[in-house]
Amino acid sequence: MKVQKFWDAGISESSEDKIRETQLANLKNTLKHCYYSNEFYKKRIDEAGLNPDKIKSLDEIEKLPFTSKDDLRDNYPFGLFCEPVDKIVRVHSSSGTTGNPTVVGYTKEDLEMWANVLARIMYDVGVRKEDVVQISHGFGLFTGGFGFQCAAEKIGSLVVPVSGGNTERQLKIMSDFKSTILCCTPSYTLYMAEVAEKTNIDFSKLKLKLGFLGAEPWSESMRGEIEGRLNIKALDSYGLSEVIGPGVSCECLQQDGLHINEDHFLTEVIDPETGKVLPIGQKGELVFTSLTKKAFPVIRYRTKDISYLIDGKCSCGKTFVRMAKPMGRTDDMLIIRGVNVFPSQIEEVLMNIDDLEPHYLIVLYKKDYMDKIEVWVEVSEKIFHEKIMDLEDFEKSIEAKLYSAIGIRIKVSLKEPKTIVRSQGKAKRVWDKR
Ligand code: DLL
């Protein structure tokens, strides 16, 4: 019997020509929609000398300027909406540590599209109506909770919208309700693992099998740690509120890059310094244009996330282009004595060292007017109690490993187990004291 594929799943396995054709048709609609409904976009499109009724190729997008978070803030709260407020049925917002937060709106159709694209991703990797989907992302203005909720409901799974926090209760629910799928941040899964160990919950006896983990950068080594401790397959799931929320891209079971939902999101990778569009395979900043959104379309939105597009077909059969696991954000990139370092690179090194716990904090400070970097990382209980005399040597050996991988001297300070603050949402990896 032919397996019933999810919604318009067909397109995700179409030829490249078919995908580009769909993108072009959708881009034309989006540009017209923006032009005729919003003064900001009308001005931008006019200034670029584009006629939205005469777009002939996808490359023409390059004539348009980028949209930045500042544009969103300048038009706070609803200035970039392209539908009247009475057609908007929901808003979400990103927290924003400085200035106005960014507010994004959805029409009924947008919510339907969002649920469909994320459901398609989930269905493709095996989520079915028999599954119990525990959503441990925050519900509220953050897109994580509601995004997965609507998608899992589309599939018909049993949804457990437990939200973040109260970890012992999370674990009890996971065990009692027999959750099979977990949606949350990778850092929070590790905290769950820790609490489970403390309360004698054995993940190998639970029904949990698959995690959609995202909303923050995490390294391959962190994946190994999570898969081992939770006894699940952990898939990277990426998205941002400005583009839709979770559902922009996700890994398939090959775990070799995140397939971008190309029929809805057009991707470019640019040099963050010059804005030049980079060829496939080159690392740079991801830029997205939404192709089907109505309330809050974005044109060439600069994400600040660093990744690259992966060439070639995936063995899963999907033809949607893949993006590499995001390394981090340009604004989280540390520039230490002229060397660019992402926290995820430090994480990769630490996670490969035995007797370190996956809990660390990068501390930046000034000494004698010089920028200094130090990494605090927890050691295992075993090392802390049994080999306390060797800690200094251990620090030195970690410093050497960091130096050989990253090329700068980073001071390492080993910490007692369970002393670094745990995250129940997006982890804060850097403490900048400068
Ligand atoms: O974090 C949406 C989301 C929710 C994605 C749940 C996945 C799961 P924002 O709060 O707007 O939206 O934050 C978006 O988070 O620009 C990235 O810097 C970062 N981010 C999101 N997913 C990943 C990921 C949600 N898989 C910002 N890897 C983005 C690395 C990620 N960074």
Side-chain angles (χ1 to χ4, degrees), residues 72-119:
L72 270 55
R73 289 195 169 122
D74 294 346
N75 290 284
Y76 173 85
F78 300 156
L80 291 189
F81 285 7
C82 293
E83 292 286 356
V85 170
D86 65 356
K87 282 204 153 182
I88 314 282
V89 295
R90 191 185 315 155
V91 290
H92 282 285
S93 166
S94 67
S95 55
T97 41
T98 50
N100 284 330
T102 52
V103 183
V104 299
Y106 304 76
T107 61
K108 253 190 163 149
E109 295 73 27
D110 292 333
L111 288 182
E112 183 67 15
M113 179 278 275
W114 184 17
N116 273 335
V117 291
L118 189 50

Side-chain angles (χ1 to χ4, degrees), residues 69 93-95 102 114 137 141-145 148 183-186 212-218 235-249 258 301 303-306 323 325-329 331-332 426:
K69 203 161 192 118
S93 166
S94 67
S95 55
T102 52
W114 184 17
H137 277 302
L141 288 174
F142 177 55
T143 51
F148 278 102
C183 309
C184 77
T185 59
F212 293 93
L213 310 184
E216 63 184 12
W218 51 307
L235 302 180
D236 194 354
S237 122
Y238 167 86
L240 60 162
S241 358
E242 292 83 353
V243 176
I244 191 82
V248 175
S249 66
L258 294 81
Y301 183 70
T303 61
K304 298 196 172 177
D305 293 322
I306 300 293
M323 54 180 255
K325 227 168 175 327
M327 292 184 72
R329 300 174 56 79
D331 44 11
D332 287 342
K426 293 188 191 233

